[in-house]
Amino acid sequence: MSDTARTGPVPRRRGLTRRQKRSVSRAVQYVVFVAAVIAFAVSADWARLKNQFAQADIAKEMFPDVITLALRNTVLYTVTGFAVGLALGMVIALMRLSSVGPYRWLAGIYIEIFRGLPALLIFIFIGVAIPLAFPGTEIVGGTYGKVALALGLVAAAYMAETIRAGIQAVPKGQMEAARSLGFSPARAMVSIIIPQAFRIILPPLTNELVLLFKDSSLVLFLGVTLGERELSKYGRDLASTTANSTPILVAGLCYLLVTIPLGFIVRRMEAKAQEAVK
């Protein structure tokens, strides 16, 4: 009798399992990433980069104005634009949910137009078209009012859809329960539905705040004065004056000083929302 007959068929050699393949793929990606970082670090001319973007004396001259003036104006523009957008977005969201057809159509047209147009065009429209169409008309608050209106018009289109989705995510039984307790539809919406909806949509609204914080850089198209400059305009003006890009880098770091904590807050809120669902 042959050896094969005594021992049986030789088992086939199995390849890598899916988990092993994923581990190998991940290890390869890490190696490629580290190699790319090392290649970048070795090939970059750090002396020239430091000379153009990291002049300590220029950076020191920017303080405290970069905080007390530029960052303050940026935050002010963002907060006022967010407030206008939230108020207008709430109205448009309720119009979208209305049983009255013209309200829904008007809200849909607004959302499609302002969500499709670049924010830059909205700023130009506020700064140029309105004064031409209505000579002598002044928007309340001057430049601050113009920025708040421009940012608010852009943000409202996105916030309206977010708020509408949040309201529709609240179980219908909440409205029925409120109505059974004698609440009118309007009072039930304000007292019961909307507060619950805001718990759901708080993370995306915070994301919208981060986007508005960056969009505030478009204020330069409104022709601001020295005291009304925000971070981007402030950094660009100093870069032109000093013939160096260090002010732009400092302005960028100031943006991160706000956006990184906001991003962390958004992730925490999303994690808590997922835990609540589970």
Side-chain angles (χ1 to χ4, degrees), residues 156-272:
Y158 295 93
M159 290 186 185
E161 288 294 88
T162 301
I163 295 171
R164 178 187 61 81
I167 291 175
Q168 291 180 326
V170 176
K172 294 182 179 179
Q174 296 293 316
M175 175 62 79
E176 296 172 355
R179 296 285 287 140
S180 67
L181 294 174
F183 283 70
S184 65
R187 185 183 174 191
M189 180 64 71
V190 172
S191 303
I192 306 298
I193 305 301
I194 291 179
Q196 294 186 59
F198 266 86
R199 296 192 190 99
I200 300 172
I201 64 176
L202 199 55
L205 285 182
T206 309
N207 273 329
E208 185 62 33
L209 181 63
V210 174
L211 295 176
L212 284 181
F213 186 75
K214 295 183 292 183
D215 284 344
S216 65
S217 62
L218 297 174
V219 69
L220 65 94
F221 292 97
L222 296 177
V224 296
T225 63
L226 292 178
E228 296 169 341
R229 291 178 297 176
E230 43 71 52
L231 281 171
S232 292
K233 175 66 173 172
Y234 183 83
R236 188 180 293 106
D237 288 348
L238 284 183
S240 298
T241 303
T242 60
N244 191 275
S245 300
T246 299
I248 295 178
L249 177 62
V250 174
L253 293 177
C254 289
Y255 275 105
L256 295 178
L257 192 65
V258 176
T259 57
I260 289 179
L262 282 177
F264 175 77
I265 292 172
V266 170
R267 290 191 296 271
R268 291 295 300 169
M269 288 191 297
E270 290 176 344
K272 288 184 178 181

Side-chain angles (χ1 to χ4, degrees), residues 25-72:
S25 176
R26 192 178 299 112
V28 171
Q29 294 175 29
Y30 287 151
V31 171
V32 172
F33 174 75
V34 172
V37 171
I38 293 175
F40 173 79
V42 172
S43 61
D45 191 339
W46 294 104
R48 295 184 63 183
L49 285 173
K50 180 180 178 181
N51 182 61
Q52 185 64 27
F53 288 95
Q55 289 294 324
D57 54 340
I58 297 177
K60 289 179 181 178
E61 292 177 0
M62 296 178 64
F63 291 89
D65 287 348
V66 68
I67 301 296
T68 59
L69 175 66
L71 182 58
R72 182 204 65 188

